[in-house]
Amino acid sequence: MVIYFDAPSGIAGDMLVGSLIDAGVDFEYIKSNIALLGLDVEIDLKEKMVNGIKAKNFVVNVLQHHHDDYAHHHHRTFKDIKKLLQESKLPEAVKDLSIRIFEKIAKAEATVHGMDIEEIAFHEVGADDSIVDIVAFSLCIEYLKPQEVLFSPLSDGRGFTKSMHGIIPVPAPAVLEIARQNGIPIATIDIGTELITPTGIGIAAAISNGFVNMPRMQIEKIGYGSGTKDLPIPNVVRAIIGKKN
């Protein structure tokens, strides 16, 4: 079985997860496994109409009860995240893939910030919602057990975006660095916003067998995952699942 991610408007973790749930991964299975992380989060699945197409929107609500915990939540290092995953009761294959994805992102962030990989403090990516996106994606892969995972060629937007470090250019430095380190071809299109997140391309770097046009395949399932932004183009990732002919 092959999964082909058609990503005309870029990729983000929540969009990839939404597309796979829409294509048949059991949401309750994801929910019960995410609970094993012991994070203060609630996950939800919403339906969203995108240009007349029914899509799934995977939502992670981070419950912040204690103000003093706030800094701790948002500055986990790669070492902290590895420990959290390794000590959890998640299936081994899910831990392995999740750590592999985080490692792709940490390596790029370390280069961008000129720091040691273990000590890289994930801000956006270390936030609980990114941990959930990455683990949920790994759970989807464990559930479907594909032989091959392919992506369409990736394009980002342009302009600027806000980060913990202030205003940064798009494609974000970490996104470009993940592309460089993993030999991922990337282009930009004339849309003035970030279309590829570090989490999205980190997932692709860890699992993709290629960035190609859709191969000839017998399609069995199609899932639509929606992004949060309203774009001039349909903001969806399509998971096309089937057998190669």
Side-chain angles (χ1 to χ4, degrees):
M1 179 241 276
V2 60
I3 301 174
Y4 181 76
F5 287 111
D6 178 35
S9 57
I11 41 170
D14 58 342
M15 294 173 77
L16 293 167
V17 174
S19 72
L20 291 176
I21 294 171
D22 197 40
V25 174
D26 179 15
F27 182 58
E28 290 308 316
Y29 155 83
I30 298 219
K31 229 174 163 167
S32 58
N33 274 283
I34 290 295
L36 299 174
L37 287 168
L39 297 174
D40 220 357
V41 295
E42 264 174 11
I43 60 173
D44 196 10
L45 200 59
K46 294 191 162 77
E47 294 246 298
K48 189 172 177 183
M49 293 302 283
V50 183
N51 297 23
I53 302 160
K54 188 162 91 326
K56 292 275 194 300
N57 187 14
F58 180 70
V59 185
V60 182
N61 297 310
V62 179
L63 314 168
Q64 294 289 4
H65 297 306
H66 314 293
H67 201 72
D68 50 291
D69 268 3
Y70 189 79
H72 169 71
H73 269 312
H74 283 70
H75 296 275
R76 282 204 185 87
T77 63
F78 178 46
K79 205 157 70 186
D80 296 335
I81 292 169
K82 263 201 298 202
K83 189 169 181 285
L84 172 78
L85 291 167
Q86 276 157 354
E87 289 175 359
S88 74
K89 292 191 164 59
L90 288 166
E92 285 305 314
V94 172
K95 291 183 196 183
D96 292 348
L97 178 54
S98 299
I99 290 168
R100 214 164 77 226
I101 294 166
F102 269 109
E103 191 168 20
K104 295 288 188 190
I105 303 166
K107 273 190 176 148
E109 296 275 8
T111 302
V112 169
H113 301 305
M115 285 170 71
D116 175 62
I117 180 168
E118 289 296 325
E119 296 312 317
I120 271 294
F122 287 101
H123 305 297
E124 285 91 345
V125 178
D128 289 356
D129 52 351
S130 299
I131 294 174
V132 173
D133 283 345
I134 287 171
V135 174
F137 180 83
S138 302
L139 285 162
C140 288
I141 294 299
E142 172 64 9
Y143 187 90
L144 294 166
K145 295 185 168 61
Q147 277 92 43
E148 195 175 16
V149 179
L150 297 166
F151 283 73
S152 63
L154 299 181
S155 299
D156 205 344
R158 53 166 184 76
F160 299 92
T161 189
K162 279 196 183 77
S163 81
M164 296 285 287
H165 304 281
I167 302 285
I168 55 170
V170 173
V175 167
L176 277 186
E177 190 56 33
I178 291 169
R180 184 190 74 79
Q181 289 180 4
N182 296 280
I184 298 172
I186 187 172
T188 57
I189 55 176
D190 201 17
I191 290 181
T193 188
E194 181 182 49
L195 299 178
I196 296 176
T197 67
T199 304
I201 197 169
I203 287 170
I207 200 157
S208 180
N209 299 114
F211 297 85
V212 294
N213 288 332
M214 186 170 137
R216 187 169 300 281
M217 56 194 275
Q218 195 66 50
I219 300 169
E220 287 159 12
K221 291 182 177 134
I222 304 163
Y224 286 84
S226 77
T228 45
K229 294 176 181 171
D230 287 321
L231 302 176
I233 55 178
N235 192 13
V236 290
V237 163
R238 297 196 276 192
I240 301 167
I241 301 176
K243 291 191 173 60
K244 262 189 178 174
N245 269 12

